[in-house]
């Protein structure tokens, strides 16, 4: 029931205070009421009695009124009395309308009594109370003095029901000598009083109960509300504490974060700026609040456009890092890595931009160092291959934008660097490379790039040339500079290099292509000899392409056994007898037909195929000789000359492989003569010499091929473990032309003889040459004048038909036998 009452009724503070108040007042009121109850009862009695008196007075007034009319003659006295009796008889009042009026005259005769079964006029003076007192006397005693008054008595006449103590009021109406009376049962007044009292008490109790209940409920509600409030307050307190802690935590995280955090609202107002901002920028936090765009102001001029472009559309660049530089308060430039994020609140509300920044200066320095390392050669400090290609790429792009842009790429390779490296040691080689880099750098302009490409290969990028001729000028200067002797640790070394130049390339080739072309030109320069340069042209490229195809073909030829040998006879001049053959390789090319060794040996050397090919030639030559030796006893004293290339000499297993072949074909080692050029011996230095002497100990003979074309001095020859000197065709062909040439050949032959070497003259084509050689005491000849290189069958036939020189046999028997 109370729950239905409006809540605010109870939440109303006043009510909560008033209700207990009301209850207290009520209880207090009740106490007072109870205290004054007897007095109240008395006054109630008095009031009731007053009422009777007043009513009686009214009745008497009626009688007076009737008496007045009698006096006025309007009616006679009896009528008036009858009228009065009639009116009084029916008159009722009081509790249950039970009270009535009666009249007795002063003589005791009954005038009227509504209930008594007594006729009017009957004498009532003998009427007595249950205790025996004369009632009429009591009545009369009461009214005697004042004509009226109250009387209390016990009443019981005939009817027992109406017995009880009564209080009556008596009034004498003198004109008619009537005693008018009316009475109430005292008990009834008490009953009424009691009922009123009960009603009052009940009502009061009910009211008190209601108020008490209400108060109780209110109190309960209040305590509940208080408890709830306390709980809510507690929870709120906890929440606030948690929030404060969380805020504290976040702030601590933000404040102590390594990165600078800046948060600006959509209007650019600074909302947060972490303390690290001061650490990085040197400016106090307050400055960032005072000047929200302080960060932008600190960015250095060069990076500002970058920043503006990045921030032009934060949606696009959101979360993407940007590195830029700022100038801090002490004027130092610092690298900052910055990430911008948009901040959204609940319901996607735009809360502005958050900038997270870090000082990455150290990282950038390390990166710079790493980049430098990645882009530079550690030995010389020059640009490396990667950087070189990148620079060329940039120049090519520039050249595409500007039509009259001129540049050049120079590829250079040190001549004979390998020999120096092998003979003088790698650390000396390194010193030379460093010095080379330094010298090259001294010849170029600041805008040019000198790069070490690999090993002893360098590349110079000549940028933005005023004239193409300028490139040639710079290359010539570099060539001179490199050729200046290096004096180091007592060594006096003169270096040279071969240069390939690509000038103003016009096609849209790649940097790699460009370098390749420069490399091709460099090889072409080297083909012509050392210390030269060549400018690249398209024909070289064609050649290079041809070479590439050839290289492919060559690899295939090895598998398909497209090679074969021809044998050129070598004759002893003394009696024109046959002393041996030189095995010369040929290639039966499926498209080109027979290709001479001059066209593929250099390529085979370059590609390393010469190792396999050389061994094949040796095997084939020894096999052939073995066959001849088996079928022709005279062939036993014949030698087989086999050419060895320099590349083969770098193989450490070469000596063992050769001996193995000799054993395989059961050819005595002294029947094999290996032809090598001077430069091969010189270039392979110590290791080459050692292998050579090992083979020679086993009996293998050696000839120096093409003598005269190399640079070894004659005096050096004595160091070499060789048996024969083959004078190059270029000397022989000029032998008859002038006396000077003849003198040279004469001196060479004389020297060879003094060193105990025999001489073979190569390329004898004419009788004149032959005569001169005879005069100069040259031992042997080889040339078209006698024989061109012969096929196997022709050579075999020659052995059968020709006188064989067996003098060597006698000389060499002791040293050259091979026991298989
Ligand atoms: P080479 O060792 O000087 O061989 C002699 C070359 O001179 C041969 O050329 C031969 O045909 C040529 N010749 C001989 N007499 C005359 C002459 O009277 N007049 C002219 N004009 N030429 C003459 P070929 O066969 O073309 O060989 C060229 C070079 O190829 C050889 O020069 C040699 O260096 C190299 N070669 C040949 N076969 C081999 C081989 O199996 N291994 C290696 N490494 N090189 C070889
Ligand atoms: Ca030869
Ligand atoms: Ca030769």
């Amino acid at each position: 029931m109370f729950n239905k009452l409006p809540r605010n009724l109870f939440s109303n503070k006043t009510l909560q205070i008033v209700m207990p108040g009301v209850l207290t007042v009520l209880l207090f009121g009740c106490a007072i009421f109870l205290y004054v109850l007897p007095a109240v009862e008395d006054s109630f009695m008095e009031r009731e009695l007053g009422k009777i008196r007043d009513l009686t007075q009214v009745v008497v007034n009626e009688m007076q009124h009737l008496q007045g009319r009698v006096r006025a003659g309007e009616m006679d006295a009896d009528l008036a009395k009858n009228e009065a009796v009639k009116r009084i008889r029916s008159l009722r009042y009081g509790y249950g309308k039970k009270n009535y009026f009666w009249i007795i005259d002063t003589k005791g005769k009954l005038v009227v009594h509504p209930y008594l079964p007594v006729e009017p006029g009957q004498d009532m003076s003998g009427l007595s109370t249950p205790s025996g007192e004369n009632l009429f006397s009591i009545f009369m005693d009461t009214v005697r003095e004042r004509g009226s008054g109250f009387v209390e008595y016990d009443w019981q006449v005939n009817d027992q029901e109406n017995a009880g103590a009564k209080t009556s009021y008596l009034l004498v109406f003198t004109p008619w000598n009537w005693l008018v009376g009316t009475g109430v049962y005292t008990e009834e007044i008490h009953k009424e009083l009691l009922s009123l009292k009960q009603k009052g008490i009940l009502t009061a109790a009910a009211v008190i109960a209601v108020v008490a209940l209400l108060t109780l409920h209110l109190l309960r509600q209040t305590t509940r509300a208080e408890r709830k409030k306390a709980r809510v307050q507690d929870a709120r307190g906890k929440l606030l504490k948690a929030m404060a802690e969380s805020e504290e935590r976040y702030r601590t995280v933000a404040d102590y974060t390594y990165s600078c955090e800046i948060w600006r609202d959509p209007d650019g107002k600074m909302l947060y700026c972490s303390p690290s901002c001061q650490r990085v920028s040197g400016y106090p936090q307050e400055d960032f609040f005072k000047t929200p765009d302080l960060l932008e102001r600190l960015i250095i001029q060069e990076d500002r456009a970058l920043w503006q472009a990045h921030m032009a559309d934060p949606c696009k660049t959101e979360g993407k890092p940007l590195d830029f530089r700022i100038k801090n308060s002490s004027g130092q430039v610092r690298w900052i890595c910055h990430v911008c994020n948009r901040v959204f609140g609940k319901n996607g509300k735009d809360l502005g931009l958050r900038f997270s920044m870090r000082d990455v200066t150290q990282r950038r320095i390390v990166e710079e160092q790493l980049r430098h390392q990645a882009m530079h050669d550690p030995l010389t400090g020059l640009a490396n291959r990667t950087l070189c290609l990148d620079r060329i790429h940039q120049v090519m792009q520039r050249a595409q934008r500007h039509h009259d842009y001129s540049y050049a790429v120079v590829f250079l390779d040190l001549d004979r660097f390998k020999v120096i490296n092998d003979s003088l040691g790698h650390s000396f080689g390194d010193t030379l490379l460093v010095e080379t880099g330094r010298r090259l750098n001294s010849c170029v302009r600041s805008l040019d790039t000198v790069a070490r490409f690999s090993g002893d290969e360098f590349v110079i990028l000549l940028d933005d040339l005023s004239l193409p001729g300028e490139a040639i000028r710079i290359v010539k200067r570099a060539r001179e500079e490199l050729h200046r002797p290096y004096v180091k640790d007592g060594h006096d070394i003169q270096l040279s290099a071969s240069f390939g130049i690509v000038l103003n390339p016009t096609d849209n080739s790649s940097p790699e292509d460009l370098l390749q072309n420069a490399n091709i030109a460099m090889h072409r320069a080297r083909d012509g000899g050392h210390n030269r340069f060549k400018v690249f042209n398209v024909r070289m490229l064609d050649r290079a392409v041809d070479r590439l195809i050839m290289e492919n073909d060559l690899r295939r030829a090895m598998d398909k056994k497209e090679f074969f040998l021809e044998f050129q006879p070598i004759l002893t001049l003394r009696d024109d007898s046959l002393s041996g053959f030189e095995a010369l390789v040929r290639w039966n090319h499926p498209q080109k037909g027979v290709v001479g060794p001059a066209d593929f040996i250099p390529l085979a050397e370059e590609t390393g195929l010469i190792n396999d090919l050389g061994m094949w030639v040796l095997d084939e030559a020894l096999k052939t000789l073995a066959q001849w030796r088996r079928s022709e006893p005279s062939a036993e004293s014949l030698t087989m000359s086999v050419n060895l290339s320099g590349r083969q000499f770098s193989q450490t297993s070469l000596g063992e492989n050769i001996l193995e072949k000799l054993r395989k074909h059961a050819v005595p080692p002294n029947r094999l003569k290996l032809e090598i050029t001077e430069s091969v011996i010189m270039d392979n230095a110590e290791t080459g010499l050692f292998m050579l002497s090992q083979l020679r100990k086993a009996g293998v003979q050696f000839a120096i091929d093409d003598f005269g074309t190399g640079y070894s001095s004659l005096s050096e020859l004595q160091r070499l473990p060789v048996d024969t000197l083959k004078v190059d065709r270029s000397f022989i062909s000029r032998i008859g032309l002038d006396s000077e040439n003849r003198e040279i050949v004469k001196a060479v032959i004389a020297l060879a003889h003094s060193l105990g070497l025999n001489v073979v003259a190569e390329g004898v084509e004419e009788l004149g040459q032959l005569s001169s050689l005879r005069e100069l005491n040259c031992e042997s000849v080889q040339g078209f004048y006698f024989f061109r290189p012969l096929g196997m069958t022709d050579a075999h036939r020659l052995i059968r038909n020709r006188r064989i020189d067996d003098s060597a046999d006698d000389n060499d028997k002791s040293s050259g036998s091979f026991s298989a």
Side-chain angles (χ1 to χ4, degrees), residues 582-584 641-644 675-677 704-706 726 762 782:
E582 179 178 3
L584 296 161
S641 297
V642 174
N643 294 284
L644 275 193
E675 296 193 0
I676 45 180
T677 59
I704 291 188
D705 206 353
D706 305 340
K726 292 185 84 172
E762 290 188 301
Q782 179 185 350

Side-chain angles (χ1 to χ4, degrees), residues 74-94:
E74 286 173 22
M75 59 191 324
D76 68 12
D78 288 338
L79 191 68
K81 284 181 181 172
N82 281 340
E83 184 62 35
V85 166
K86 208 166 79 191
R87 287 190 193 176
I88 284 164
R89 192 188 293 275
S90 59
L91 203 66
R92 296 288 186 280
Y93 70 93

Side-chain angles (χ1 to χ4, degrees), residues 726-745:
K726 292 185 84 172
V727 182
D728 192 67
R729 186 166 66 88
S730 52
F731 290 96
I732 307 303
S733 59
R734 285 179 303 193
I735 207 168
L737 296 181
D738 52 56
S739 56
E740 195 186 331
N741 262 302
R742 192 188 142 91
E743 284 310 306
I744 291 173
V745 177

Side-chain angles (χ1 to χ4, degrees), residues 399-470:
Q400 261 175 11
R401 288 196 295 271
H402 310 286
H403 287 299
D404 48 357
Y405 199 84
S406 184
Y407 69 98
V409 175
V410 182
F411 197 106
L412 70 100
D413 192 320
L414 297 178
D415 299 326
R416 292 178 61 244
F417 181 73
K418 194 180 175 308
V419 184
I420 295 166
N421 217 17
D422 288 350
S423 51
L424 298 175
H426 287 255
S427 77
F428 187 79
D430 285 353
T431 319
L432 280 186
L433 289 173
V434 173
E435 179 63 12
T436 302
R438 204 187 58 72
R439 290 193 188 187
L440 288 176
N441 253 332
S442 72
C443 303
V444 299
R445 305 154 304 160
S446 60
L447 67 161
D448 299 329
T449 304
V450 177
R452 178 167 174 228
F453 214 60
S454 71
D456 60 342
E457 294 174 335
F458 294 82
V459 170
I460 307 173
L461 171 63
L462 300 169
D463 195 5
D464 199 9
L465 296 164
S466 51
L467 286 168
E470 204 180 348

Side-chain angles (χ1 to χ4, degrees), residues 187-206:
E187 197 184 325
E188 267 175 18
I189 294 175
H190 280 292
K191 234 192 247 169
E192 198 179 344
L193 187 68
L194 199 74
S195 128
L196 272 173
K197 224 161 79 182
Q198 276 173 346
K199 272 186 199 163
I201 286 169
L202 265 175
T203 314

